[in-house]
Amino acid sequence: MLQRKQKNISRLGKRISTSVDIIGRYERDAMMPFIEVIIKIADILDISIDYLVGKTNLVLDQATLKRLEDINALAPDAKIYILEHIDMTIRDFKNKTAYSR
């Protein structure tokens, strides 16, 4: 769990009511936690469950996930409008033509 080390959360076991040995087993893929434990760990580390279980290598914090959920809940036309603007902004940043830092 690289995120645990990067965020310096050395007492993850206590925070999810388990032992350091069990956390080590999770990290070595010697044991798979129950979904309830996965949810707790993801919440503590502020990362998605998909990242935690290796389904993606994209680290999304809860604020970013909330934004995506908000966009997804919009009417189709509004969703397309916002996504087109995001695409334009990404394109401009890649071309270094938007918003100097």
Side-chain angles (χ1 to χ4, degrees), residues 44-76:
I44 290 167
L45 298 178
D46 192 29
I47 56 176
S48 71
I49 292 172
D50 283 350
Y51 177 81
L52 189 61
V53 299
K55 190 173 177 185
T56 182
N57 60 2
L58 180 63
V59 179
L60 296 176
D61 58 42
Q62 297 302 319
T64 302
L65 287 173
K66 174 69 173 121
R67 285 185 177 118
L68 293 173
E69 289 171 352
D70 289 346
I71 292 169
N72 197 50
L74 294 172

Side-chain angles (χ1 to χ4, degrees), residues 26 32-42 49-50 52-53:
Y26 296 159
M32 182 60 96
F34 290 110
I35 189 66
E36 295 84 4
V37 175
I38 293 172
I39 292 168
K40 285 181 187 179
I41 293 171
I49 292 172
D50 283 350
L52 189 61
V53 299

Side-chain angles (χ1 to χ4, degrees), residues 1-9 12-13 16 18 20 22-29 31-33 37-38 40-42 44-45 47 51-53:
M1 282 186 218
L2 182 58
Q3 291 297 312
R4 178 181 66 84
K5 292 175 183 171
Q6 286 178 342
K7 293 185 180 208
N8 198 24
I9 300 175
L12 182 60
I16 63 168
T18 194
V20 175
I22 297 294
I23 296 297
R25 289 180 190 167
Y26 296 159
E27 290 176 335
R28 292 187 306 276
D29 291 326
M31 185 175 168
M32 182 60 96
V37 175
I38 293 172
K40 285 181 187 179
I41 293 171
I44 290 167
L45 298 178
I47 56 176
Y51 177 81
L52 189 61
V53 299

